[in-house]
Amino acid sequence: MVEWLNFENCPVCSRRNIVLFKKGNFPPHNLGPEAVKITDSSYGRLWSLFRCQDCGHIFANPCPSPSTVAQLYRQINDPAYEEEAVGRAQNFKPILNQLDRYFPQKGKLLDIGAATGIFLALAREKGWEVSGIEPSVWAVGVAAKKYNLDLIPASFEEAKLPANYFQVVTMIDFIEHIPHPLEAVRKAAHLLEPLGVLVIVTPNIKSLAARVAGAKWWHFRPAHLAFFTASSLQELLAEAGFQTKKSSSYSWTFSLFYLISRFRFLRPIWNQPKVALLTKKVRVKLALGDSFLIYAQKKE
């Protein structure tokens, strides 16, 4: 059974100065694992969004409860995600290179929302002692079989982990999927040792790409319950006890096949075996500037 949350206060700054930002168009009865899988391409489907006029945070209201979200993600089966493992690895390598500068001796790294473990496998190769949390039964199985990773099969809210233990916690495309991002970032602070680093990648709803794409922006989908601006993201981090070390935009690398398969009207083209074989070999880097990449340090 789907449980719902109704917010009277902003989930980031707790103030009550919230107004309707965009009326939703996604029927609640359509909510299921297919609607929230990573590679969903029905862009433009979204919940009713509210905006905090104080910090700028934008969030689904009402939205599914944490227990409902966890149950949905447990049921996800998304083979198309792992088919893009080569390109996704290219996305992750710059993050690890930056972490090498902060922690040349490496240490303990926790990835939240680890999916099939592509990022963690790369981190392990570079010398990190890795742990990961992932609710999807399918993804946990792939991580074990393909990368020999023993992920914690749970939501972040459910997971029991030691305090002041990790040097790095990563939330790569995670906080936009949950209704209570401040609670999650506070928990990350609890798990990090003093001066530990939190890495966040999340969509930038005020980016040029978001404004140009409008209602068809690819981050407008039922899986996304929270959208950040520069101001709301900084408020989130400050409230949780972090200070920003480095901020930039995140780039994506995908196969040409994956990109054109996002468009259903092109199905007669990309569905041809020869076209699929050729376009799967071509890598395309998208520097759209529509996602934040933040390195934030836990205060002493």
Side-chain angles (χ1 to χ4, degrees), residues 15 18-19 21 27 61 86 109 117 119 126 140 147 169 172 183 191 193 195 201 212 219 231 236 242 272 283:
R15 302 184 186 100
I18 61 174
V19 296
F21 174 75
N61 192 21
V86 174
L109 181 151
F119 175 76
K126 292 178 76 67
V140 169
Y147 301 109
V169 171
I172 302 172
E183 292 180 11
L191 301 178
E193 66 175 18
L195 302 181
V201 174
V212 170
H219 285 299
S231 61
L236 176 80
F242 288 95
Q272 296 179 37
R283 305 288 162 197

Side-chain angles (χ1 to χ4, degrees), residues 11-113:
V12 168
C13 72
S14 299
R15 302 184 186 100
R16 298 177 65 92
N17 195 11
I18 61 174
V19 296
L20 182 67
F21 174 75
K22 191 181 290 287
K23 187 173 176 57
N25 58 14
F26 180 69
H29 62 268
N30 284 350
L31 182 60
E34 285 296 308
V36 298
K37 69 181 184 179
I38 304 169
T39 59
D40 170 57
S41 60
S42 299
Y43 308 139
R45 299 186 305 168
L46 74 164
W47 308 104
S48 288
L49 300 178
F50 278 66
R51 179 174 62 87
C52 175
Q53 299 192 91
D54 290 315
C55 74
H57 183 53
I58 294 168
F59 55 97
N61 192 21
C63 73
S65 69
S67 61
T68 295
V69 171
Q71 181 60 28
L72 289 170
Y73 282 93
R74 272 191 281 272
Q75 299 174 66
I76 283 180
N77 189 311
D78 196 359
Y81 175 86
E82 187 58 32
E83 289 172 6
E84 289 294 310
V86 174
R88 294 185 190 281
Q90 294 302 313
N91 301 336
F92 297 146
K93 287 177 180 178
I95 295 176
L96 290 167
N97 291 340
Q98 183 64 42
L99 290 174
D100 283 347
R101 299 185 183 99
Y102 297 146
F103 300 97
Q105 303 304 314
K106 308 304 187 287
K108 299 179 181 68
L109 181 151
L110 172 68
D111 188 30
I112 301 166

